[in-house]
């Protein structure tokens, strides 16, 4: 950033400076975090007065800080120190509004103090947001540098999941069999998704235990159907029956082991097989990424062979299409060149060629790619890699469950990502939540299942 100041001797009465600033949701979050002012009136998307519309009001102190920033960067500029600042607020600024910030020199004093008028207007209607006066100690030495930088800030919002949830809410709520929701996390997550209009849950399991948990949560579940079944595998088998009867269009894991959930689904006669292998996909909202990132398979297939990886890739491509993403599959290995001693590099090259020949459909597939040149354009260019995937992959196919599990947890606990998890390859999507999943992750999983079901229905119509 290039900064130039106006020294006390250079400043003339009547001089002016201005800047324009669009108020964003991230601005409100950053100011709240820095100031400690967590007043919900000044947080995005929070409805305080109960009218169904978030206030989205920028804090008046945030708006005033824009005028102070103009003093510190433009007039007088670098070297300025604030002595006094007074202002009066007339209107409120909101997220999405562009503001015009202005300062004007009113006078100078012999001791180096400069008096300025400050003002902030809304650009759209020229309404005066605030007006005041500031007195500053103006710089005495000239400052003219272009190497002033500050670290970038990453707001840990999960805007991709927020958008997916809003898209899913525009669709009819999908009927979901929730298997063994007899602990607060699983039942609470299903009820939260129901209240958001994402799902219509059918609660499958021990009815007495389910009602006891609902009472513990102080939730009324009388509007929801309960199918009373004893035993985890029996409950999962009942969920399969509900799917085969056409009564539900997705299954959600509750308080039971994953093996007990999936075992009845693999039954050739009564299960949910449809020709492909069951594979797991994490849809991850990683702060700072331009779109969701998928990691597959990190939960079911331990050491997949090439045939299994074909299904892993195809299932992930289908899900990406359901989420309106352009599928760009990076098949990961330790290297970006084929090495006969590294099986994952051979598999990656074969998958890439199979996609070229139409054996994998619907997306671009490239490999082998190392993690850096799959996700970073600069790293890909350094290695001389080109094409539509290198440096911009949004689907990461891992060599095995160890690598996938580590990658997903690193993104979650180091990069502060949220993860929605689905099992694909069955007749219907299966939501595979973890006990540690946040409310946002559970809602997003339901939203992704809803969108995938809607996409499947369209494919069948074609």
């Amino acid at each position: 950033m290039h900064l130039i100041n106006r020294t006390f001797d250079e400043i003339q009465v009547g001089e002016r400076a201005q800047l324009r600033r669009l108020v964003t949701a991230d601005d409100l979050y950053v100011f709240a975090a820095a100031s400690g002012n967590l007043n919900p009136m000044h947080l995005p998307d929070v409805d305080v007065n109960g009218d169904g519309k978030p206030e989205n009001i920028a804090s008046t102190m945030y708006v005033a800080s824009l005028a102070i920033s103009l003093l510190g960067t433009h007039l007088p500029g670098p070297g300025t120190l604030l002595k006094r600042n007074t202002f009066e607020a007339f209107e409120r600024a909101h997220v999405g509004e562009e503001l015009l910030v202005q300062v004007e020199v009113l006078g100078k004093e012999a001791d180096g103090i400069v008096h300025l008028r400050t003002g902030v207007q809304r650009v759209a209607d020229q309404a005066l947001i605030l007006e005041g006066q500031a007195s500053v100690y103006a710089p005495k030495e000239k400052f003219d540098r272009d190497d002033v930088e500050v670290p970038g800030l990453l707001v840990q919002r999960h805007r991709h999941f927020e958008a997916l949830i809003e898209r899913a809410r525009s669709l009819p709520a999908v009927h979901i069999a929730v298997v063994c929701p007899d602990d607060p996390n699983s039942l609470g997550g299903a009820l939260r998704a129901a209240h958001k209009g994402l799902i219509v849950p059918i609660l499958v399991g021990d009815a007495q235990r389910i009602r006891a948990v609902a009472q513990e949560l102080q939730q009324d579940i009388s509007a929801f159907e309960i199918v009373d079944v004893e035993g985890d595998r029996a409950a999962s088998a009942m969920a399969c029956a509900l799917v085969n009867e056409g009564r539900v269009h997705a299954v959600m894991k509750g308080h039971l082991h994953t093996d007990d959930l999936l075992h009845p689904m693999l039954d050739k006669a009564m299960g949910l097989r449809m020709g492909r292998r069951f594979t797991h996909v994490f849809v991850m909202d990683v702060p700072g990424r331009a779109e969701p990132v998928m990691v597959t398979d990190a939960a079911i297939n331990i050491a997949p062979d090439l045939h299994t990886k074909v299904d892993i890739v195809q299932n992930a491509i289908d899900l990406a299409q359901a989420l309106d993403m352009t599928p760009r599959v990076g098949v990961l290995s330790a290297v970006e060149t084929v090495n006969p001693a590294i099986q994952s590099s051979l598999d990656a090259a074969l998958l890439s060629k199979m996609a070229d020949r139409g054996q994998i459909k619907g997306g671009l597939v490239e490999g082998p790619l190392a993690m850096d040149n799959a996700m970073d354009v600069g790293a890909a260019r350094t290695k001389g890699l080109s094409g539509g995937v290198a440096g911009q992959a949004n689907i990461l196919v891992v060599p095995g469950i160890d690598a996938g599990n580590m990658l997903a947890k690193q993104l979650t606990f180091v990069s502060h990502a949220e993860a929605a998890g689905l099992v694909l390859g069955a007749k219907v999507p299966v939501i595979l939540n973890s006990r540690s999943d946040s409310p946002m992750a559970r809602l997003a999983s339901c939203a992704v299942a809803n969108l995938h079901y809607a996409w499947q229905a369209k494919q069948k119509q074609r």
Side-chain angles (χ1 to χ4, degrees):
M1 180 183 296
H2 192 180
L3 295 178
I4 304 173
N5 68 1
R6 296 282 289 166
T7 65
F8 178 81
D9 291 337
E10 293 173 331
I11 293 171
Q12 301 294 319
V13 174
E15 273 193 75
R16 297 181 180 183
Q18 67 178 37
L19 62 82
R20 289 181 178 233
R21 178 67 177 262
L22 179 68
V23 181
T24 69
D26 283 357
D27 291 331
L28 270 58
Y29 281 124
V30 169
F31 190 80
S35 67
N37 179 7
L38 304 183
N39 180 354
M41 293 290 285
H42 305 313
L43 295 177
D45 303 325
V46 179
D47 177 19
V48 178
N49 59 17
D51 65 357
K53 299 178 181 179
E55 280 67 31
N56 282 334
I57 298 174
S59 165
T60 300
M61 291 305 296
Y62 163 74
V63 178
S65 73
L66 298 179
I68 300 302
S69 73
L70 189 56
L71 297 175
T73 58
H74 290 77
L75 182 64
T80 300
L81 294 174
L82 185 67
K83 174 178 173 63
R84 182 184 300 110
N85 181 49
T86 61
F87 63 87
E88 182 177 358
F90 299 96
E91 293 275 352
R92 304 296 172 185
H94 300 80
V95 170
E97 294 178 347
E98 187 178 20
L99 303 181
L100 176 65
V101 186
Q102 299 174 305
V103 297
E104 179 185 1
V105 178
L106 299 178
K108 299 169 63 175
E109 295 185 13
D111 57 0
I113 293 176
V114 176
H115 304 288
L116 304 100
R117 183 187 69 81
T118 61
V120 181
Q121 289 180 299
R122 187 164 44 233
V123 171
D125 58 3
Q126 298 184 338
L128 185 62
I129 304 295
L130 64 80
E131 187 174 46
Q133 289 191 15
S135 298
V136 302
Y137 294 102
K140 297 179 181 179
E141 304 296 331
K142 193 65 179 174
F143 186 98
D144 184 350
R145 290 170 56 181
D146 61 2
D147 60 350
V148 179
E149 300 292 341
V150 296
L153 295 178
L154 185 63
V155 178
Q156 292 177 22
R157 289 182 64 200
H158 298 98
R159 52 176 61 88
H160 301 310
F161 277 2
E162 292 166 3
L164 289 176
I165 290 168
E166 285 306 306
R167 276 187 54 208
R169 290 182 68 182
S170 69
L171 299 171
V174 66
H175 288 70
I176 289 184
V178 188
V179 183
C180 299
D182 51 23
D183 78 317
N185 283 337
S186 57
L187 182 60
L191 296 180
R192 189 175 292 107
H195 296 326
K196 285 282 187 180
L198 297 172
I199 69 170
V200 177
I202 296 179
L203 310 176
V204 183
D206 188 313
Q208 184 175 352
R209 292 167 62 182
I210 293 170
R211 291 192 178 98
V213 173
Q215 187 173 4
E216 179 186 341
L217 294 173
Q218 298 182 333
Q219 292 281 341
D220 180 9
I221 60 171
S222 59
F224 303 119
E225 180 181 355
I226 300 177
V227 179
D228 190 11
V229 181
E230 288 189 15
D232 292 351
R233 291 203 175 182
S236 181
M238 176 57 70
C240 293
L242 293 174
V243 171
N244 290 324
E245 292 169 12
R247 293 189 57 200
V248 300
H249 308 121
V251 176
M252 179 187 292
K253 176 189 173 187
H255 187 218
L256 75 166
H257 196 277
T258 299
D259 287 346
D260 291 329
L261 176 72
L262 296 182
H263 188 271
M265 296 182 184
L266 294 169
D267 184 85
K268 293 182 179 179
M270 305 301 293
L272 303 182
R273 288 175 177 265
M274 54 170 275
R276 288 188 197 164
R277 286 166 174 75
F278 286 12
T279 69
H280 183 271
V281 180
F282 276 122
V283 181
M284 310 200 74
D285 188 341
V286 186
R289 302 295 302 185
E291 60 184 335
V293 176
M294 297 185 186
V295 177
T296 184
D297 182 332
I300 293 181
N301 293 284
I302 296 173
D305 58 15
L306 179 64
H307 196 62
T308 302
K309 286 181 180 179
V310 171
D311 287 347
I312 288 172
V313 172
Q314 190 65 67
N315 285 339
I317 288 175
D318 290 352
L319 181 58
Q321 291 180 329
L323 302 184
D324 282 342
M325 296 168 58
T326 300
R328 297 186 298 274
V329 182
V331 188
L332 299 182
S333 183
V335 293
E336 65 280 347
T337 55
V338 176
N339 184 333
I342 303 177
Q343 184 61 44
S344 61
S345 75
L346 294 172
D347 289 347
L350 290 169
L351 291 168
S352 179
K353 180 54 68 176
M354 292 173 76
D356 290 343
R357 298 287 173 87
Q359 293 172 270
I360 298 172
K361 304 179 185 297
L364 296 174
V365 181
E366 288 188 16
L369 292 173
M371 182 66 182
D372 56 347
N373 46 59
M375 298 292 286
D376 184 83
V377 172
R381 288 175 179 170
T382 299
K383 293 293 181 71
L385 301 175
S386 59
V389 176
Q392 51 187 333
N394 54 19
I395 299 173
L396 302 176
V397 178
V398 297
I401 199 169
D402 283 344
N405 186 273
M406 285 183 241
L407 175 56
K409 288 183 178 177
Q410 285 167 354
L411 290 173
T412 300
F413 293 102
V414 178
S415 299
H416 308 287
E418 289 278 15
L422 282 188
V423 175
L424 302 174
K427 292 180 181 178
V428 297
V430 180
I431 300 171
L432 206 62
N433 286 320
S434 167
R435 285 174 294 179
S436 62
D437 280 350
S438 70
M440 171 61 84
R442 292 175 184 273
L443 283 177
S445 294
C446 292
V448 171
N450 193 326
L451 293 166
H452 187 269
Y453 169 71
W455 179 82
Q456 277 185 319
K458 287 183 179 180
Q459 299 305 305
K460 290 177 182 178
Q461 290 174 0
R462 294 175 182 175

